[in-house]
């Protein structure tokens, strides 16, 4: 007989709350852009530190910065 262990999620549970600003809900893309802007501001524009905090490779963060048209000091 095949026995499988129960799957235990490794990440925190996903919230089902809707993030709102005024009366409009934010899109996932806009929420991601704002979070990146906030983390970059908190790290003084240090992309390597921000990428580490975000848990993504530095190259991915540079791609997102370009996609969102952000400026890094």
């Amino acid at each position: 007989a095949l026995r499988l262990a129960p799957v235990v999620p490794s990440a925190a549970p996903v919230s089902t709350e809707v993030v709102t600003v005024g009366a409009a809900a934010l899109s996932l893309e806009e929420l991601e852009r704002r979070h990146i802007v906030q983390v970059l501001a908190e790290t003084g524009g240090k992309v390597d530190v921000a990428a580490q905090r975000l848990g993504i490779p530095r190259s991915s963060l540079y791609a997102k910065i370009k996609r969102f048209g952000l400026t890094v000091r």
Side-chain angles (χ1 to χ4, degrees), residues 32 36 56 59-70:
E32 179 182 30
I36 289 170
I56 60 175
S59 59
S60 295
L61 182 52
Y62 275 117
K64 291 175 185 290
I65 288 168
K66 182 177 180 181
R67 186 175 89 220
F68 294 134
L70 303 176

Side-chain angles (χ1 to χ4, degrees), residues 31-48:
L31 187 62
E32 179 182 30
R33 186 191 72 75
R34 289 181 184 200
H35 186 58
I36 289 170
V37 167
Q38 179 181 345
V39 172
L40 283 168
E42 291 172 0
T43 60
K46 296 179 182 174
V47 176
D48 55 338

Side-chain angles (χ1 to χ4, degrees), residues 1-66:
L2 178 63
R3 295 185 184 171
L4 301 175
V7 176
V8 179
S10 60
V14 175
S15 173
T16 57
E17 294 179 40
V18 174
V19 177
T20 58
V21 175
L26 296 176
S27 69
L28 180 57
E29 187 172 5
E30 178 61 16
L31 187 62
E32 179 182 30
R33 186 191 72 75
R34 289 181 184 200
H35 186 58
I36 289 170
V37 167
Q38 179 181 345
V39 172
L40 283 168
E42 291 172 0
T43 60
K46 296 179 182 174
V47 176
D48 55 338
V49 176
Q52 187 175 18
R53 265 188 70 189
L54 292 165
I56 60 175
R58 188 177 58 200
S59 59
S60 295
L61 182 52
Y62 275 117
K64 291 175 185 290
I65 288 168
K66 182 177 180 181

